[in-house]
Amino acid sequence: KGLIAFGSSFGATCYMHGAAYGAQKAGLDKLAHDMAVDLKGTGVRAISVWMGPLLTERAKIAAEVHPEQYKEFMQMAETPQFTGHIMHAIASDPNASEISGHTLVGAEVAKDRYQLKDKGGKQPPSHREMLGSPNEPNPAIVY
């Protein structure tokens, strides 16, 4: 048993940071979907998680240099650890096979399925309304 998890983003379905970024994120989502088909019945699950803006060391430095420009970003940004907690919850979930192969919006699965919050009790926003939705897994299988 186990979990294979990919860190992806809304850039898989909307224009974000250029064509190469989008193709790479869409590829991760598709890889999770197809791996779930190949691994069905093994106890290994595969998912792709869309993260929101991340509160990285680089973002913290940018916010210090340009506080007004990054004020809104800093209020909504997720810590990288938040995604780690989501992945741990999925890996520990005995019913997670039902989401294997799916692309998940991290903020949504954290709130709705696992009741997880980020550092300081913050509930990161979804961004789905502004940036779009993950593709639903297609049930067709062609060998």
Side-chain angles (χ1 to χ4, degrees), residues 10-11 13-16 50 53 126-133:
F10 291 88
T13 60
C14 76
Y15 185 88
M16 186 180 288
W50 284 7
S126 165
H127 305 289
R128 182 189 289 260
E129 282 189 31
M130 180 174 62
L131 298 175
S133 302

Side-chain angles (χ1 to χ4, degrees), residues 1-121:
K1 75 180 199 171
L3 176 67
I4 298 169
F6 298 102
S8 190
S9 88
F10 291 88
T13 60
C14 76
Y15 185 88
M16 186 180 288
H17 307 307
Y21 180 87
Q24 176 276 127
K25 294 303 183 186
L28 289 174
D29 296 351
K30 178 72 166 121
L31 185 58
H33 171 269
D34 289 0
M35 288 179 77
V37 171
D38 289 344
L39 296 168
K40 189 173 183 161
T42 67
V44 177
R45 296 162 261 180
I47 56 148
S48 188
V49 177
W50 284 7
M51 298 173 267
L54 288 178
L55 187 57
T56 62
E57 293 301 316
R58 183 177 179 183
K60 290 176 189 176
I61 292 168
E64 287 175 16
V65 174
H66 304 285
E68 284 305 310
Q69 184 180 345
Y70 282 85
K71 183 179 180 183
E72 201 174 302
F73 175 91
M74 296 301 284
Q75 291 173 346
M76 73 171 151
E78 304 170 5
T79 66
Q81 293 81 3
F82 180 62
T83 303
H85 293 302
I86 294 167
M87 291 181 184
H88 179 266
I90 294 169
S92 303
D93 182 351
N95 298 314
S97 60
E98 66 195 26
I99 58 174
S100 186
H102 288 245
T103 298
L104 310 167
V105 176
E108 293 174 2
V109 75
K111 179 182 177 189
D112 300 337
R113 188 176 179 108
Y114 299 112
Q115 295 75 50
L116 296 174
K117 293 191 178 196
D118 203 356
K119 188 175 183 179

